[in-house]
């Protein structure tokens, strides 16, 4: 079990790292089934749309509503019931003699009329069954509410990751396009020198192959971007064909920048906050309470049950009986003397479910600890990899520029410039991936800590 230490100031600071409650921007409008190009879609708005349209959220909301109504039903059993009754009777009988057959001279009896009454019933004692049922219903409601919160947090994470994947692949398209441009430049330079007679014609083959490979890489990046956009639409719960254009975090043809403010609380702080914020942990606790209530009901059912019911009936009109007031107090006591062991088996089963629910809570705590630690480490690794990749990009760019300039002067060969070009493209790709790995790890950490209300702000 993890220590349960919470500090108000730390919690407030961490929650401030997450976005405030998602608000819907009125300037964004999605038009399903139309080809119009909408304005750039911010991440917050994508999350807001998902929380409204994702079927998983609607399912969890419906389950919470069911649980609420079950609480109402359980509480209603403590209240009296008032039932108006109206009876219309039309009965005809033909009575004969001693013979089974009806004689021609038999007489007819007719009864016609109406009867109205109002019956009030109240259960006075039931050995605690109503209380156990109410406790179980309220625990189920708490579980359903926590499940709804957990579903919403899962949707937030899914949309955030899908959103970043679209941006990642679009920035990788920029890298691939730069590779195509560089390969085309090298081919043009090589072809010019071949035409001038300073290079052999065979040198163009490598340059053409490099251009073709760069074009293939560009096409693959474009395909991955289209696939990522489909996944984003699915995560948002919008219909296929809906035009969405995620707002980029990098301007123009530039690459995303490394976050500068990366001073975060220690890992232990995230552990402690997760124990108080994770909805699935609250759900496990509510499930344990529900199992305890079910065990209490089973225990009551296996012992002596004393019940008392009071009934009051007022009959203002009746064509068949006397009018007036009837009252009844019924007290009973029952005991399952022999039921084949069913009652005791129900108690053992319910107690086993309580044990299982507690074990599930412990398993959830372990899973949360693992999620928090992995996401925390992945975020640290990603930011460090992004910084190293930035150094590699700068060095590769200098090397490529130098080799290209030397090639213009007739120094070097096609293999050298092809290698420099490949190194630069790889460094840029690694840098882009590292930056988005950081954003995604940050989003996963906020989800692991149970504080991803909205999406983490870009670059924080």
């Amino acid at each position: 079990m993890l220590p349960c230490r919470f500090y108000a100031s730390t919690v407030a600071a961490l929650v401030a790292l997450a976005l405030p409650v998602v608000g819907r921007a009125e300037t964004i409008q999605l038009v399903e089934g139309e080809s119009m190009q909408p304005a750039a879609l911010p991440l917050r708005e994508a999350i807001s749309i998902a929380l409204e349209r994702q079927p998983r959220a609607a399912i969890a909301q419906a389950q919470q509503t069911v649980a609420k109504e079950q609480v109402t039903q359980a509480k209603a059993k403590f209240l009296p019931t008032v039932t108006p009754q109206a009876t219309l009777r039309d009965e005809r009988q033909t009575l004969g003699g001693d013979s089974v057959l009806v004689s021609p001279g038999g007489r007819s009896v007719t009864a016609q009329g109406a009867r109205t009454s109002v019956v009030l019933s109240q259960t006075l004692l039931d050995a605690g069954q109503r209380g156990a049922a109410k406790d179980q219903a309220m625990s189920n409601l708490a579980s359903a509410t926590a499940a709804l919160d957990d579903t919403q947090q899962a949707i937030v994470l899914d949309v955030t990751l899908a959103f970043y994947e679209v941006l990642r692949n679009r920035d990788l398209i920029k890298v691939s396009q730069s590779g195509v441009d560089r390969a085309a430049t090298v081919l043009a330079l090589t072809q010019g020198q071949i035409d001038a007679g300073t290079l052999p014609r065979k040198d163009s083959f490598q340059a053409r192959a490099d251009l073709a490979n760069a074009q293939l890489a560009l096409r693959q990046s474009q395909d991955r971007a289209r696939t990522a956009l489909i996944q984003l639409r699915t995560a948002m719960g919008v219909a296929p064909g809906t035009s969405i254009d995620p707002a980029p975090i990098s301007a123009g043809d530039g690459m995303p920048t490394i976050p500068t403010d990366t001073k975060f609380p220690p890992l232990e702080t995230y552990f402690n906050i997760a124990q108080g914020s994770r909805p699935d942990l609250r759900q496990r606790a509510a499930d344990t309470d529900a199992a305890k209530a079910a065990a209490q009901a089973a225990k009551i059912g296996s012992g002596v049950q004393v019940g008392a019911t009071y009934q009051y009936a007022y009959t203002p009109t009746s064509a068949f009986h006397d009018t007036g007031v009837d009252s009844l107090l019924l007290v009973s006591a029952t005991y399952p003397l022999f039921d084949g062991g069913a009652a005791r088996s129900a108690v053992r089963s319910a107690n086993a479910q309580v044990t299982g629910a507690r074990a599930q809570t412990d398993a959830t705590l372990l899973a949360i600890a693992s999620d928090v630690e992995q996401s925390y480490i992945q975020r640290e690794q990603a930011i460090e990899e992004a910084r190293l990749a930035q150094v590699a990009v700068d060095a590769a760019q200098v090397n490529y520029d130098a080799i290209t300039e030397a090639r213009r002067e007739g120094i070097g060969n096609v293999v050298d410039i092809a290698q420099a070009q490949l190194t630069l493209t790889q460094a840029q790709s690694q840098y882009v991936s590292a930056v988005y790995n950081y954003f995604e790890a940050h989003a996963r950490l906020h989800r692991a800590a149970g504080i991803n209300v909205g999406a983490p702000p870009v670059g924080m």
Side-chain angles (χ1 to χ4, degrees):
M1 298 288 288
L2 295 175
C4 189
R5 302 195 301 265
F6 301 98
Y7 304 97
S9 59
T10 304
V11 172
L14 272 179
V15 172
L17 294 179
L19 290 181
V21 176
V22 176
R24 188 172 177 81
E26 297 298 332
T27 56
I28 303 299
Q29 182 179 8
L30 292 183
V31 181
E32 296 186 2
E34 296 186 11
S35 60
M36 65 172 292
Q37 183 66 28
L41 181 69
L43 177 54
R44 290 190 187 192
E45 176 64 12
I47 291 172
S48 178
I49 292 170
L51 292 176
E52 292 178 4
R53 302 192 182 191
Q54 248 295 336
R56 286 185 294 162
I59 292 170
Q61 182 68 59
Q63 291 172 341
Q64 184 195 44
T65 300
V66 170
K68 285 181 179 179
E69 298 306 322
Q70 289 175 343
V71 169
T72 301
Q73 295 169 28
K75 290 181 177 180
K77 295 185 180 298
F78 288 90
L79 302 176
T81 60
V82 178
T83 308
Q85 297 178 350
T87 304
L88 179 62
R89 182 177 179 183
D90 186 353
E91 181 179 353
R92 293 178 176 83
Q93 291 181 326
T94 302
L95 303 178
D98 295 335
S99 174
V100 177
L101 298 176
V102 177
S103 63
R107 60 190 176 86
S108 297
V109 178
T110 301
Q112 291 180 318
R115 179 175 181 268
T116 60
S117 61
V118 178
V119 180
L120 181 146
S121 299
Q122 173 68 60
T123 300
L124 303 178
L125 295 174
D126 65 350
Q129 289 285 6
R130 289 175 299 171
K134 186 195 73 171
D135 292 344
Q136 185 174 5
M138 294 185 68
S139 297
N140 288 337
L141 174 58
S143 177
T145 301
L148 174 60
D149 295 341
D150 191 60
T151 299
Q152 290 175 338
Q153 288 198 5
I155 290 173
V156 169
L157 178 62
D158 291 345
V159 172
T160 301
L161 297 181
F163 193 95
Y164 284 147
E165 281 302 306
V166 173
L167 300 188
R168 178 204 299 269
N169 284 286
R170 287 186 175 181
D171 281 342
L172 289 175
I173 287 176
K174 297 178 187 178
V175 173
S176 298
Q177 185 61 60
S178 297
V180 170
D181 295 342
R182 286 192 293 268
T185 299
V186 171
L187 177 58
L189 176 61
T190 302
Q191 188 62 48
Q193 292 178 338
I194 290 174
D195 294 341
T198 58
L199 287 177
R201 187 168 299 278
K202 66 179 180 64
D203 282 3
S204 66
F205 300 149
Q206 180 65 51
R208 293 181 187 279
D210 292 340
L211 176 58
N213 287 331
Q215 290 171 335
L216 175 60
L218 175 60
R219 179 57 184 269
Q220 292 172 338
S221 297
Q222 292 170 338
D223 291 341
R224 286 192 294 268
R226 283 192 288 266
T227 300
L229 193 59
I230 294 173
Q231 294 172 345
L232 175 58
R233 281 200 298 262
T234 301
M236 290 172 58
V238 299
T242 302
S243 297
I244 57 176
D245 181 23
I249 61 175
S250 55
D253 294 333
M255 297 292 103
T257 58
I258 302 175
T260 56
D261 184 10
T262 56
K263 295 180 180 180
F264 299 107
L267 176 61
E268 183 69 15
T269 301
Y270 285 96
F271 283 148
N272 294 334
I273 290 178
Q275 292 180 78
S277 301
R278 279 286 293 245
D280 50 349
L281 196 56
R282 288 189 280 114
Q283 184 181 6
R284 297 289 86 76
D287 290 342
T288 301
D289 291 339
K292 289 179 180 178
Q296 179 63 22
K299 182 178 179 181
I300 293 172
S302 67
V304 177
Q305 300 182 60
V306 178
T309 303
Y310 175 74
Q311 188 176 84
Y312 176 90
Y314 171 61
T315 305
T317 62
S318 176
F320 319 111
H321 308 285
D322 293 335
T323 61
V325 174
D326 293 327
S327 63
L328 173 66
L329 176 62
L330 179 63
V331 179
S332 64
T334 62
Y335 178 75
L337 182 62
F338 179 77
D339 60 359
R344 288 182 173 82
S345 176
V347 172
R348 291 192 296 268
S349 175
N351 288 335
Q353 289 179 351
V354 173
T355 301
R358 288 171 175 163
Q360 185 64 44
T361 299
D362 294 340
T364 301
L365 274 170
L366 290 174
I368 288 173
S370 177
D371 288 347
V372 170
E373 187 170 10
Q374 289 186 47
S375 300
Y376 192 90
I377 293 174
Q378 288 170 357
R379 185 176 67 177
E380 288 185 333
Q381 291 175 339
I383 193 63
E384 185 62 27
E385 289 172 1
R387 290 169 179 156
L388 293 174
Q390 180 65 71
V391 174
V393 168
D394 295 341
Q397 185 67 59
V398 171
N399 180 59
Y400 173 78
D401 292 342
I403 291 180
T404 301
E405 185 60 29
R407 184 65 173 171
R408 293 181 187 278
E409 297 176 0
I411 304 173
N413 54 54
V414 176
V415 174
D416 291 337
I417 198 169
Q419 184 60 46
Q421 176 180 311
L422 178 61
T423 300
L424 177 56
T425 299
Q426 289 177 340
Q428 290 175 332
S429 298
Q430 291 172 349
Y431 170 77
V432 168
S433 293
V435 171
Y436 284 106
N437 286 344
Y438 165 79
F439 291 142
E440 293 181 2
H442 185 79
R444 288 191 179 96
L445 180 57
H446 274 212
R447 161 59 174 154
I451 56 174
N452 70 337
V453 180
V458 172
M460 71 84 166

